[in-house]
């Protein structure tokens, strides 16, 4: 199988780190670029973390710095989840690499327009960069294979009662991207909250080698659940979906994003309006995941139990 070309738009971020490590190591994916955004922590830090990952992976993948602030609101980062660096818990050696000297929106435009094969955008932070890309260079839209994004959910949030972090932090950008007409698959909290790993899994990953040990060290500091009750590796679920769609149940649903008011950042799927013919399904939504298969896959990516 020819590797699928992808661009990550990311805010590493401990679960972002897991997603990136797996994707870079997997021969069925071809990671072209890490485009960074400020969200979990400030963009200077997420960019440094992206460089740290490419260096540890010894991967020749460019890193381009993107937007530091959402389109209209003020960023509300979450160092309490990922640590003040965004990837607390592992002593990374000093980084010698540098980001590209152009904004990630410009780099994405060029890569998308010059690619022979349509590229998949894997958006695992806020949607700010992608909204700006589409606004500045709408011609890219028809050259994108699809957007696979971790964000939102069908009910309940993790930033407040209704909103998930990535959408909450830039609802206006998310609304622009979800309404762009580019095919989009949403992996929201309704599936990522179920796709967890436990201590025994993390210990196997720790023993698997340098990259596994790095991730285990980060997991010990990550506050997206716990290794005893189940650690939520939200962003890695987007990679699992690309490699193993058979682990997921999907449905075309209508998804809209509340941008203002008390529910700002909430993804709203009004199935009754669809039944009445008032709304058209616009998003491929993952409605369920085989959690046990996900867990086995995740460990197998490090311990060689599944084909990479
Ligand atoms: C999302 O928010 C971030 O903290 C994680 O990296 C993930 O992308 C989960 O809601
Ligand atoms: Ca993220």
């Amino acid at each position: 199988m020819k590797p699928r070309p992808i661009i990550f738009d990311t805010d590493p971020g401990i679960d972002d780190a897991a997603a990136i490590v797996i994707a870079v190591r997997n021969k069925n994916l071809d990671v072209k670029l890490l485009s960074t955004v400020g969200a979990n922590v400030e963009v200077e830090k997420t960019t440094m973390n992206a460089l740290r990952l490419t260096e540890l992976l010894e991967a020749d993948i460019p890193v381009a710095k993107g937007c530091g602030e959402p389109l209209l609101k003020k960023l509300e980062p979450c160092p309490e989840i990922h640590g003040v660096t965004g990837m607390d818990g592992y002593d990374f050696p000093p980084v010698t690499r540098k980001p590209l000297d152009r904004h990630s929106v410009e780099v994405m435009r060029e890569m998308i327009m010059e690619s022979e094969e349509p590229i998949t955008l894997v958006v695992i932070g806020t949607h700010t960069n992608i909204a700006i890309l589409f606004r500045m260079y709408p011609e890219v839209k028809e050259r994108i294979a699809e957007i696979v994004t971790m964000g939102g959910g069908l009910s309940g949030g993790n930033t407040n009662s209704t909103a998930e972090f990535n959408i909450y932090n830039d609802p206006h950008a998310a609304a622009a991207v979800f309404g762009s007409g580019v095919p989009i698959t949403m992996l929201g909290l309704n599936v990522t909250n179920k796709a967890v790993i436990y201590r025994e899994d993390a210990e196997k990953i720790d023993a698997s080698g340098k990259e596994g040990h790095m991730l285990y060290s980060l997991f010990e500091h990550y506050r997206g659940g716990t290794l005893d009750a189940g650690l939520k590796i939200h962003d890695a679920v987007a990679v699992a979906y690309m490699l193993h769609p058979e682990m997921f149940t999907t449905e075309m649903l209508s998804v809209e994003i509340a941008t203002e008011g008390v529910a700002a950042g909430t993804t709203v799927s009004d199935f009754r309006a669809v039944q009445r013919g008032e709304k058209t399904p616009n998003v491929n939504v993952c409605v369920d995941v085989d959690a046990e298969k996900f867990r086995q896959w995740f460990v197998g990516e490090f311990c060689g139990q599944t084909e990479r």
Side-chain angles (χ1 to χ4, degrees):
M1 178 168 128
K2 203 164 171 244
R4 174 174 176 173
I6 66 170
I7 289 175
F8 272 112
D9 195 60
T10 175
D11 60 335
I14 291 175
D15 56 332
D16 302 71
I20 291 165
V21 167
I22 292 174
V24 170
R25 287 159 45 111
N26 193 295
K27 67 173 176 10
N28 292 319
L29 295 174
D30 177 11
V31 182
K32 299 279 186 199
L33 174 72
L34 302 184
S35 157
T36 61
V37 70
N40 282 324
V41 288
E42 296 72 17
V43 71
E44 288 70 27
K45 294 179 182 174
T46 61
T47 306
M48 173 57 71
N49 291 341
L51 292 168
R52 287 181 167 132
L53 292 171
T54 59
E55 201 147 294
L56 187 106
L57 287 157
E58 297 172 39
D60 195 13
I61 297 168
V63 171
K65 183 167 127 187
C67 296
E69 287 291 327
L71 294 183
L72 299 181
K73 59 177 280 192
K74 203 170 154 29
L75 181 68
E76 295 176 43
C78 61
E80 67 282 7
I81 306 288
H82 300 265
V84 286
T85 64
M87 288 191 341
D88 272 14
Y90 183 77
D91 197 10
F92 287 91
V95 168
T96 56
R97 298 181 181 204
K98 298 222 173 325
L100 300 175
D101 59 9
R102 285 183 307 149
H103 195 281
S104 80
V105 166
E106 299 294 342
V107 180
M108 283 196 275
R109 184 202 69 83
E110 190 176 283
M111 279 192 170
I112 293 165
M113 295 310 285
E114 288 181 0
S115 176
E116 274 172 25
E117 222 185 304
I119 294 180
T120 295
L121 298 183
V122 187
V123 187
I124 54 176
T126 59
H127 294 76
T128 319
N129 289 330
I130 310 302
I132 292 178
L133 174 71
F134 288 177
R135 175 56 68 92
M136 286 179 71
Y137 304 114
E139 65 273 20
V140 298
K141 288 195 249 176
E142 62 189 30
R143 299 185 63 100
I144 292 168
E146 67 168 316
I147 297 170
V148 175
T149 189
M150 189 281 132
L154 289 175
S155 69
N158 60 359
T159 296
N160 59 33
S161 316
T162 63
E164 181 278 332
F165 180 85
N166 289 337
I167 309 288
Y168 175 87
N169 260 292
D170 199 342
H172 304 92
V177 172
F178 276 59
S180 67
V182 176
I184 182 161
T185 293
M186 176 177 114
L187 295 125
L189 295 174
N190 53 298
V191 290
T192 66
N193 277 340
K194 285 191 198 170
V196 297
I197 63 158
Y198 296 93
R199 185 167 298 284
E200 62 179 293
D201 307 316
E203 284 171 357
K204 287 183 198 154
I205 292 165
D206 182 24
S208 69
K210 179 176 69 168
E211 290 126 31
H213 172 63
M214 179 274 290
L215 285 177
Y216 174 79
S217 311
L218 300 183
F219 291 163
E220 286 279 33
H221 282 255
Y222 176 52
R223 293 291 167 264
T226 67
L227 282 174
D228 296 314
L231 204 69
K232 298 166 192 169
I233 323 285
H234 303 281
D235 292 339
V237 183
V239 177
Y241 173 76
M242 286 187 290
L243 292 169
H244 292 286
E246 75 282 358
M247 290 198 290
F248 296 85
T249 310
T250 60
E251 225 176 290
M252 282 302 291
L253 297 175
S254 151
V255 178
E256 289 169 292
I257 291 159
T259 52
E260 305 292 339
V262 72
T266 304
T267 48
V268 181
S269 179
D270 188 349
F271 63 90
R272 287 195 177 83
V274 173
Q275 282 166 358
R276 289 195 298 266
E278 294 163 9
K279 287 195 170 142
T280 315
N282 60 335
V283 175
N284 183 40
V285 178
C286 284
V287 294
D288 205 3
V289 58
D290 185 327
E292 182 52 28
K293 284 214 176 94
F294 172 85
R295 198 172 70 86
Q296 285 169 13
W297 164 78
F298 191 89
V299 177
E301 284 290 325
F302 295 90
C303 304
Q305 288 154 17
T306 58
E307 200 211 330
R308 280 179 35 212

